[in-house]
Structures are given as C-alpha cells and as structure tokens.
Amino acid sequence: MAPINQLKPDVLRTIFGFVHASSIEESQDFTAALRLGAVSKHWRDEALADSTLWCTVSAVRRRWFRRDYITTSLARAKKAPLTLNLEINTDQTEPELQFIQNSLFLLYSARRRWCRVRIVIDGEGTWLPDFLFKFDDMVMIQDFSLT
C-alpha cells in the first residue's frame, strides 16, 4: 500500500481542513473536496465522510444554482452548520429568475442549519424571494449580509 494511503483519518482531516480553508477564500467551495477525493480511493472515502468539506455552498454562477449541486452539498454536509455565498444577477429573464428562486427555496429548506449567509445582488432588478428574510427559526445564524 502506498504511503499516501496509510495516512490516518485524523491526519487527512487536518490536511483537508487546510485545503478547504484556502478554497473557501477563493469561492471554490467543494471543488477542493473533489480534488482531494481524486488522490485515491482512501482519500475519496475520507473526503466524502468529512461533512466540513461540504458545508459551504457558493452559488456565484448559474450552474451552481442547479438542484443536483445543492442537493449533493446539503446531503454531504450532513447536519453541519452551513455557510452560503450567493451572488444573484437580477438582470435576467423571468425563467432564469424562477430557476434561481427554486434553488434558493431548496437551500431555504435547510435554514435551521444556516450559520453564515452572504448574498450579493447584482443588476438593476429588485427581485428577491420574501422567504429569504424570515429569520424566526434560523437558530444557528451568526452572520447575515446583503449587498
């Protein structure tokens, strides 16, 4: 067995933590986790089991608002507190905005786990779904910014 596959889970979690922290600074969310998982089957298994690698959801482009991306993120994060980084361009067609709203509603279903939320609105439109501003049961929220 190659030495890289003999690393203990706690050592791998430390490595994963450093890589994850640097990827978050670059808004890469779980891209780093995918790369770590490509090292070997052992690393992949550990990366999939480490919920902290999956608890940041960054939707800064339309492709990141896809249901499969959000569903995968929420499932792999398990019950870990979530960090959301959302950038929404309101200068889009009605179908595009409906697509984004459906994705936001899926994220909203996990609102009890929201810890940090950053929403950046770009464009001339004033569109934002009302449910994003219902904080009554967001018990973990520590930081919320809207610009």
Side-chain angles (χ1 to χ4, degrees), residues 8-74:
K8 303 281 187 227
D10 58 326
V11 173
L12 284 177
R13 278 191 297 276
T14 301
I15 294 168
F16 293 171
F18 285 120
V19 173
H20 180 64
S22 66
S23 71
I24 294 306
E25 290 175 13
E26 299 169 12
S27 295
Q28 295 294 315
D29 51 48
F30 72 62
T31 305
L34 295 174
R35 289 185 182 139
L36 290 168
V39 171
S40 71
K41 182 180 180 331
H42 173 60
W43 281 47
R44 182 178 192 279
D45 292 344
E46 292 300 325
L48 289 173
D50 187 348
S51 62
T52 62
L53 293 177
W54 309 97
C55 63
T56 298
V57 179
S58 292
V60 297
R61 294 180 187 86
R62 185 185 189 282
R63 68 179 177 185
W64 296 120
F65 278 98
R66 291 185 2 223
R67 287 185 77 81
D68 58 338
Y69 164 74
I70 293 170
T71 303
T72 298
S73 295
L74 295 177

Side-chain angles (χ1 to χ4, degrees), residues 49-125:
D50 187 348
S51 62
T52 62
L53 293 177
W54 309 97
C55 63
T56 298
V57 179
S58 292
V60 297
R61 294 180 187 86
R62 185 185 189 282
R63 68 179 177 185
W64 296 120
F65 278 98
R66 291 185 2 223
R67 287 185 77 81
D68 58 338
Y69 164 74
I70 293 170
T71 303
T72 298
S73 295
L74 295 177
R76 290 182 181 170
K78 300 174 183 138
K79 295 185 181 200
L82 298 172
T83 297
L84 306 178
N85 295 311
L86 309 174
E87 293 183 15
I88 303 168
N89 184 332
T90 59
D91 292 336
Q92 299 189 53
T93 65
E94 189 62 35
E96 292 277 328
L97 291 173
Q98 185 62 46
F99 175 81
I100 291 172
Q101 181 169 337
N102 291 341
S103 299
L104 290 173
F105 192 72
L106 182 59
L107 284 171
Y108 186 73
S109 69
R111 67 192 171 279
R112 289 179 185 87
R113 294 171 37 210
W114 289 9
C115 183
R116 290 177 187 80
V117 178
R118 182 181 72 81
I119 302 174
V120 176
I121 307 298
D122 185 26
E124 299 292 321

